[in-house]
Amino acid sequence: MSAGKIVILGTLSAIAEATARLYARDGAELLIAARNGERLSRLAADLQARGAARCETRVLDLAEVEDPFAAFQEMTAALGGEVDAVFLFYGILGDQTTAEKSLADARHGIRVNFASAAEWCLAAANQLEAQNKGVLVAVSSVAGDRGRQSNYIYGAAKGGLSVLVQGIAHRLAKGRARAVAVKLGFVDTPMTAHVEKKGVLWSKPGDVAARLVAIAAKPSAPVVYVPGFWRLIMAVVRTIPAPIFHKTKL
């Protein structure tokens, strides 16, 4: 039995690939989108070999698409006119110090992590609202819970994305469609390859992917922390008084 019709925006991140493979195993119809056409084609072949009923590809720089609303309608039409789940994964960590000195770098980070992501989320929301079913799962970050000197530009963009998806969830609540902002903690991926990985706070892409598929499968809160212990960690971080917080090097 098919696991549904799934759109994955930004499919070449480690977590996105792991998510796509889980759906392929269950026979889903997939539409995957990313910039690198060669890698995308290889992944599509792999997904079909793993059991995907079909796998459409779209080679796109998602942050540069002029009209995401029209582009998303075309994606939906390619899957037969309706979708069951939409995942938004793409983003860049960037370099805080560079972005503070370069307006171009700051703009690029904000464009990729918030402005363009917001446009695709709104496009997905329109489709889900019209069909009155399905779920949007937008991958955000705990970095958006409090501004820290080490990554506040990235954090601000992800915080904005989380609030936007919360608003979409509120908008959709009158019907059967849903939206969820998933705030990830530390995940061992190529994007964090430069960061030393010690302790129990680091997650593996496969574990995160399994949680995302579970979130998409049944109703949940509009904001979910993955792993769940990050909700408590960030609650503590948010409540540290500013005079104390400003003495840290976080």
Side-chain angles (χ1 to χ4, degrees):
M1 182 176 65
S2 172
K5 299 179 179 183
I6 314 299
V7 175
I8 302 179
L9 303 172
T11 320
L12 295 178
S13 75
I15 304 170
E17 287 189 12
T19 302
R21 290 187 176 108
L22 290 175
Y23 277 110
R25 181 192 65 189
D26 290 338
E29 296 181 59
L30 296 162
L31 188 148
I32 58 176
R35 289 181 300 174
N36 189 316
E38 183 178 345
R39 286 183 59 199
L40 202 62
S41 294
R42 289 201 301 268
L43 177 60
D46 175 73
L47 295 173
Q48 289 183 297
R50 290 172 185 268
R54 63 188 288 207
C55 189
E56 296 273 340
T57 61
R58 296 294 183 272
V59 181
L60 297 170
D61 185 338
L62 294 160
E64 298 299 330
V65 173
E66 184 173 343
D67 188 349
F69 282 27
F72 194 83
Q73 286 179 339
E74 185 278 326
M75 293 177 182
T76 302
L79 289 177
E82 291 189 344
V83 295
D84 294 294
V86 181
F87 289 85
L88 185 138
F89 282 101
Y90 74 93
I92 55 171
L93 190 58
D95 180 81
Q96 177 65 40
T97 302
T98 301
E100 288 173 349
K101 302 296 189 294
S102 167
L103 183 56
D105 276 36
R107 280 176 173 166
H108 182 61
I110 293 168
R111 172 66 188 161
V112 172
N113 292 321
F114 175 67
S116 69
E119 292 169 3
W120 284 102
C121 286
L122 290 169
N126 289 346
Q127 175 63 36
L128 298 178
E129 185 176 49
Q131 64 185 39
N132 194 29
K133 69 174 185 177
V135 60
L136 165 66
V137 179
V139 173
S140 188
S141 171
V142 298
D145 277 25
R146 186 167 188 173
R148 297 178 292 118
Q149 63 177 345
S150 59
N151 69 349
Y152 62 85
I153 294 176
Y154 172 80
K158 288 298 189 179
L161 180 63
S162 296
V163 171
L164 178 108
V165 176
Q166 282 180 278
I168 291 173
H170 194 186
R171 166 189 168 186
L172 298 177
K174 62 182 179 292
R176 293 182 292 133
R178 299 185 292 120
V180 185
V182 178
K183 296 187 176 185
L184 300 184
F186 301 140
V187 185
D188 186 359
T189 68
M191 192 169 79
T192 59
H194 63 289
V195 181
E196 186 177 7
K197 299 170 181 65
K198 289 184 177 180
V200 298
L201 298 183
W202 287 89
S203 299
K204 296 295 184 183
D207 295 334
V208 173
R211 183 73 181 105
L212 295 178
V213 171
I215 289 167
K218 60 183 181 180
S220 67
V223 176
V224 178
Y225 289 77
V226 174
F229 57 71
W230 280 100
R231 178 179 292 276
L232 176 59
I233 291 173
M234 297 315 298
V236 172
V237 170
R238 289 194 303 271
T239 57
I240 298 172
I244 298 173
F245 189 75
H246 290 171
K247 292 179 181 179
T248 71
K249 295 183 179 180
L250 295 173

